[in-house]
Amino acid sequence: VMGLAGEGLTVFWPCRECLEEEQVLDGRYRLQEVPGGRVALPVLEEKLCGLRLPQEVPCELVQIQEPVPSRAARRQPPARRLRDELRRLLGESWSEELERDVPRAWQRHGDLVLLSEDSFRAAAWEQLGQRLWQTVARVLGARRLARRGRVLPDGLRSPSVTLLLGRDGWVEHVDNGIRYTFDVTKCMFSPGNITEKLRVAALPCAGEVLVDLYAGIGYFTLPYLVHGAAAFAHACEWNSHAVEALRRNLLLNGVQGRCRVHHGDSRRLELRDVADRVNLGLLPSSEEGWPVACRLLKKGTGGVLHIHHNVETLPAPAPPQRPAPRAEEGAPEGADSGAEAQRPGQAGRARSRAEWQRWAEATAAQIQGLLAELHGQPWHTRILHIEAVKSYAPHVHHLVLDLECRPPVPP
């Protein structure tokens, strides 16, 4: 049976009519040519035991590891196709709990699919064993599967990822022409930061020296070097697995000669007076790196800090409910209803932007104080830009503040 079990029934063309009469053809897969001038017809697995064909029909069972989906099956969304396959596989054991367990989204890294942590957690899946992962991989067009867990509280933001199918977790990912390789079981990768990577790549960094205090596998270090044309970068990272990936990525992109990797705690970094830009890409807050960043800026010219932070905007209290006016007392039915419906959302966005501005101004003042204490004279800070990268949680946004920091102009 060419289907969930990966088997196939090979028959000559004339017996297709017999199979159609028996209603055993599996519409999820297309007919496939096999050696010897024969054709493999997909048959439903559950119908195989009761299959009755005329004795004069020559046939044999063959195994097809990767059956080709039919056009109708390819038009189905992958999540629905996966659910239907698993429902057919489990038969009467299927339940609403299992349906909720089937993922509707996932990350794809080459031939590896990374499932969310809430996928396939019910005990009933255990009865399928390795067959479950083989089916999921086949439907999603993958050769390897892994499942994400919670980030470990080890100070390194190490992922808790289980490899479900395959021998290793090394993958390659391409963003904006930059190649990243990393082990999904050892390193974090956030595709949601692509907008910030694109913005960084477009910054005017030609001839500048960059220090990336939390480099990871090179999420931002590489855009600065490859597209931003930074002259040199110092990449700081204390996770040994990320450092290994970072070194590989520098080689992959041909910029290893313009970057020095500092393996260790960036708070103990001995560099001073070297940077035109400092990237502080640590969440939920990079505040612990602000004193180091101030020491890194060039004393004579200063530079720009790119400060990442999660900023929370508390929701406004719900307004008191007022009874709707009767039709004869108020406006005609439906009048201005669209404008009224938009006001809460507009008010929420305005409230968020105001909170972002307050955070940026407070951060600028704090950085200004650190610089004055460090150099014994007041420095100037100026908010260049506030970038909203993404919503990190309800009412919490990942922001990046571009803060210009300059020494006083000599008299």
Side-chain angles (χ1 to χ4, degrees), residues 85 148 151 179 186 258 284 297 340:
E85 289 276 9
R148 188 200 314 276
V151 177
R179 296 169 63 189
K186 302 289 191 343
R258 292 160 48 210
L297 290 175
E340 291 294 332

Side-chain angles (χ1 to χ4, degrees), residues 37-111:
R38 298 177 297 172
V39 175
L41 300 178
V43 177
L44 295 168
E45 179 184 12
E46 61 270 21
K47 299 284 189 176
L48 183 59
C49 294
L51 185 62
R52 297 184 301 275
L53 287 174
Q55 294 183 356
E56 63 272 15
V57 176
C59 66
E60 61 179 305
L61 290 175
V62 296
Q63 186 174 9
I64 296 179
Q65 296 290 346
E66 298 181 5
V68 180
S70 64
R71 290 182 181 179
R74 287 198 298 269
R75 285 195 294 267
Q76 283 185 334
R80 179 179 174 183
R81 208 158 59 233
L82 178 60
R83 182 201 63 191
D84 291 347
E85 289 276 9
L86 294 173
R87 186 170 187 170
R88 188 187 299 270
L89 189 63
L90 283 166
E92 295 181 357
S93 300
W94 189 254
S95 65
E96 290 184 5
E97 179 189 11
L98 294 179
E99 182 157 350
R100 289 193 299 268
D101 244 9
V102 178
R104 290 171 173 78
W106 45 83
Q107 286 185 19
R108 185 179 298 275
H109 302 288
D111 69 348

Side-chain angles (χ1 to χ4, degrees), residues 223-377:
Y224 276 114
L225 289 170
V226 175
H227 296 307
F232 197 83
H234 294 274
C236 311
E237 178 56 45
W238 65 355
N239 184 330
S240 58
H241 301 296
V243 167
E244 180 184 0
L246 173 60
R247 294 188 191 279
R248 292 192 187 193
N249 292 330
L250 292 169
L251 284 168
L252 272 177
N253 293 279
V255 293
Q256 68 276 14
R258 292 160 48 210
C259 183
R260 179 183 172 189
V261 178
H262 301 264
H263 184 187
D265 190 341
S266 61
R267 291 170 296 187
R268 297 185 174 89
L269 190 64
E270 296 182 357
L271 289 177
R272 289 173 177 265
D273 187 23
V274 297
D276 298 293
R277 289 180 189 269
V278 182
N279 196 71
L280 297 109
L282 182 66
L283 294 178
S285 172
S286 60
E287 187 170 355
E288 65 177 12
W290 295 356
V292 180
C294 291
R295 294 197 300 269
L296 288 167
L297 290 175
K298 291 180 178 178
K299 294 179 181 178
T301 57
V304 177
L305 304 181
H306 300 282
I307 303 171
H308 293 238
H309 197 85
N310 280 349
V311 176
E312 182 175 6
T313 304
L314 296 178
Q321 296 292 325
R322 292 181 299 178
R326 290 180 299 177
E328 64 269 23
E329 295 176 352
E333 184 179 354
D336 293 330
S337 60
E340 291 294 332
Q342 291 177 6
R343 287 175 188 170
Q346 292 171 347
R349 286 190 291 272
R351 193 165 55 252
S352 293
R353 286 192 292 268
E355 186 61 38
W356 301 348
Q357 184 67 29
R358 283 193 291 271
W359 165 76
E361 291 172 357
T363 300
Q366 191 169 342
I367 294 292
Q368 192 172 37
L370 290 171
L371 288 166
E373 182 180 353
L374 176 65
H375 297 289
Q377 58 181 338

Side-chain angles (χ1 to χ4, degrees), residues 146-170:
R147 181 170 54 200
R148 188 200 314 276
R150 297 189 180 278
V151 177
L152 299 177
D154 57 1
L156 302 176
R157 287 187 59 79
S158 300
S160 173
V161 174
T162 303
L163 197 63
L164 306 170
L165 188 67
R167 294 186 177 181
D168 72 84
W170 279 93

Side-chain angles (χ1 to χ4, degrees), residues 106-124:
W106 45 83
Q107 286 185 19
R108 185 179 298 275
H109 302 288
D111 69 348
L112 185 145
V113 165
L114 182 60
L115 303 171
S116 59
E117 62 182 281
D118 56 352
S119 302
F120 303 113
R121 288 300 186 183

